Amino acid sequence: MAKTQDYTAIMKDFMGAFPVDTSSMEDAFKTQATLNEKLSAVALEAAGKSTDLSTKWTKETLTKMSEMSKAKTDPADYAKAMTDFASACAEMSAENMAAFAEIAKKVQTDTVELMMAAGKDMTEEASAAVQKATKDATTAAKKASTAK
């Protein structure tokens, strides 16, 4: 009776001839985690600045409203107070929207810089991993050919 070949042993020998190096995966994970940390820092900084700006804008608006809501002796003074309030709000809006645009511009610039740096790092890591894998495969192939 013929004996069945042990495919488990064959696969084990085959996989042993081509070892897997997990360090490149670990490096990629570390690089990704570092990138995420830096992107989070950019987002949190922008959120903090936006919150500060919104709070400042609200306080300024309330201050202007307080001036407008004071009792006046002459009815024409109410119209003037309303006009002054509208002018101040328009001016504050323009200034604050420009400040929000600067925050957004900084976020965009920082993000692009981080992505460019990460792309460069990942390209270098991938190149190094491919070179190492090629070297390991060549070494394994040479061992396999001399073992015959």
Side-chain angles (χ1 to χ4, degrees):
M1 186 172 210
K3 187 173 181 183
T4 308
Q5 220 172 2
D6 184 6
Y7 287 104
T8 305
I10 293 170
M11 288 304 292
K12 190 175 187 180
D13 290 342
F14 175 76
M15 295 304 284
F18 297 99
V20 176
D21 182 16
T22 60
S23 66
S24 61
M25 291 299 287
E26 290 171 9
D27 291 343
F29 178 78
K30 289 175 185 175
T31 300
Q32 186 64 38
T34 302
L35 175 63
N36 288 340
E37 179 183 356
K38 290 176 181 179
L39 288 172
S40 295
V42 169
L44 292 172
E45 180 184 358
K49 287 180 179 181
S50 294
T51 301
D52 292 344
L53 183 57
S54 293
T55 301
K56 178 180 162 259
W57 191 356
T58 301
K59 286 181 178 181
E60 288 174 357
T61 302
L62 292 174
T63 300
K64 300 293 180 189
M65 270 184 141
S66 135
E67 290 298 317
M68 183 183 70
S69 66
K70 290 182 181 174
K72 317 282 189 260
T73 53
D74 187 13
D77 290 342
Y78 286 101
K80 182 180 179 334
M82 185 59 130
T83 303
D84 291 347
F85 176 73
S87 288
C89 282
E91 185 179 317
M92 284 189 304
S93 293
E95 290 171 5
N96 288 312
M97 293 310 289
F100 277 121
E102 285 299 315
I103 292 169
K105 182 179 170 184
K106 182 170 180 354
V107 168
Q108 182 181 20
T109 302
D110 291 351
T111 302
V112 168
E113 287 175 2
L114 285 173
M115 295 307 286
M116 294 293 287
K120 181 181 174 203
D121 291 346
M122 287 178 189
T123 300
E124 290 171 357
E125 288 175 9
S127 177
V130 167
Q131 288 174 355
K132 185 176 184 320
T134 302
K135 180 182 168 202
D136 291 348
T138 303
T139 303
K142 284 179 182 177
K143 283 181 185 178
S145 67
T146 58
K148 289 183 180 181

